Structures are given as C-alpha cells and as structure tokens.
Amino acid sequence: MATPDARQFRNTIGLFATGVAVIVARADQEVLAMTANAVSSVSLDPMLVMFCPSKRSNLARHLHQLSAFTINILRHDQQALSTFFAGGWKEPQPPPFRLVPAQHAPRLEGSLASIECVPWKITEVGDHWMVLGQVMQLHTGIQPHQPLLFLSGRYRHVHPGDSTPAPDLSDVQDEPAHIYYG
Ligand SMILES: Cc1cc2nc3c(=O)[nH]c(=O)nc-3n(C[C@H](O)[C@H](O)[C@H](O)COP(=O)(O)O)c2cc1C
C-alpha cells in the first residue's frame, strides 16, 4: 500500500476532535500569541502540558528566549479570536480582546480557562517544535464551561446536556485493560 500523503493524514487526524487554544508567550521583551489545537496534557507528576508550534511560526523564531506562556482555552463564542490569532482575520479592526497580566505570562481575558506555564523542555519534532511546559497556575472562567471545538477543519459547538458521565478511573491500579477478540 502507498504511504499516506499529507492531505490524507490531515483528513484522518482531523477526526480527532479538539478544543482550540490561544498560546500567549513571553519571550524576552516580546509577547507573542498564536492559535493552536496541538495541545495536550502530558504528565501529572510533574504537571506538564504541551503545545506544538510550526517551525515556520513567528513564535518558533523566539522559542530560545521563551520564559513563560499561557494556554488559553477558547469559549464557544471566541471563534473570531481563533481566526485572528491564526492570521486569518480579514476585517480592518481586530476583534476585541485583552491580554491581562498574570504571574508568569499574560493571559487572554474571558477565555474558558488559562494555564500558566514555564518551559520544561523544548524538543524538535519534524517540521514542528514540541514545547513541554510545567503548570504553574490555573485560572478558570465563568460557568457554564462551553468550549470552542475543532473537528475536520471546522469549528463546532458542544450542546449542553448532550453528555454521558465517563467512569471514575481515579482508583484504578496499573492493571492492564482486558481485550477479548470474539
Ligand atoms: C484551529 C486552529 C488550530 C491550529 N493549531 C496549530 C498548532 O497546533 N500548531 C501550529 O503551529 N499552528 C496551528 N495553527 C495555525 C497557526 O495558528 C497559524 O499558522 C498562525 O498564523 C501562526 O502564527 P504566526 O502567524 O504568528 O506565525 C492552527 C490554526 C487554527 C485555526
């Protein structure tokens, strides 16, 4: 079988629904912001999260001076900010937003939540960087928690009430999952 091309890869991995975040980074005297969905929690001890900026991004050019950053999880009604910080905004005026001071790096006011981090490790991964950040502070916004979602290249919304509780796995030991083939 032929190896998949970039379009097939994007179409397939795009089926993995994500939230949308704006990364606000402090690097030297500069503050840089970009939209990202390659964001994940990585470790609880130490508490680590990651985001992956393209090597072509403006932020990547300042990575060696990165001192702190915030991961700002967007609310369902902040699509314009996602587009703006992805460089796709076509209006003459930017959408209204405010970066407010926090302990380590500025955070985006009004987002669903902001996670303040300091860089823990920065690794080169193909045409991107993987930036692991140690979580220093958490800020959560007003309820209800309705995030902006991204799926198959489109913004989506959560329908409140359309949910099923996941099992509580907090007491689960390191027992392997049992998989049976019928
Ligand atoms: C929903 C969404 C998610 C994105 N996720 C990422 C990402 O995880 N990493 C990345 O490098 N670019 C991502 N981008 C593209 C960047 O936001 C875009 O290239 C941006 O212009 C980079 O910032 P710059 O213009 O300052 O270089 C995403 C864009 C959108 C709309």
Side-chain angles (χ1 to χ4, degrees):
M1 265 215 296
T3 45
D5 64 25
R7 171 51 49 199
Q8 291 167 320
F9 173 54
R10 288 173 78 121
N11 288 348
T12 304
I13 198 63
L15 295 170
F16 191 65
T18 66
V20 182
V22 171
I23 311 297
V24 178
R26 182 182 287 294
D28 230 350
Q29 301 308 313
E30 304 240 28
V31 171
L32 303 118
M34 70 174 274
T35 302
N37 73 333
V39 172
S40 179
S41 91
V42 176
S43 161
L44 278 177
D45 185 16
M47 234 179 274
L48 300 175
V49 288
M50 62 135 219
F51 76 97
C52 296
S54 161
K55 283 184 181 169
R56 291 195 305 213
S57 65
N58 203 18
L59 203 152
R61 281 192 281 281
H62 293 80
L63 267 191
H64 46 291
Q65 291 131 357
L66 181 69
S67 57
F69 61 92
T70 55
I71 296 177
N72 301 275
I73 302 170
L74 294 188
R75 278 191 338 242
H76 67 107
D77 55 357
Q78 292 181 311
Q79 195 174 306
L81 294 182
S82 170
T83 303
F84 178 69
F85 288 110
W89 188 250
K90 301 281 186 274
E91 311 293 324
Q93 293 299 319
F97 71 89
R98 229 156 62 98
L99 298 181
V100 292
Q103 217 171 316
H104 298 86
R107 63 186 181 84
L108 183 64
E109 190 180 56
S111 51
L112 193 63
S114 302
I115 304 171
E116 283 189 63
C117 304
V118 293
W120 192 80
K121 191 175 190 167
I122 300 177
T123 309
E124 195 174 355
V125 279
D127 55 8
H128 281 59
W129 294 97
M130 186 168 74
V131 180
L132 288 161
Q134 180 157 17
V135 175
M136 306 303 284
Q137 291 291 331
L138 300 170
H139 309 262
T140 39
I142 44 163
Q143 301 262 14
H145 289 152
Q146 272 188 263
L148 180 63
L149 300 185
F150 195 65
L151 170 66
S152 291
R154 300 178 72 90
Y155 294 113
R156 316 274 179 150
H157 301 278
V158 171
H159 298 291
D162 190 5
S163 70
T164 312
D168 179 4
L169 300 176
S170 50
D171 290 337
V172 171
Q173 306 297 312
D174 280 345
E175 193 183 320
H178 299 287
I179 301 171
Y180 298 99
Y181 296 95

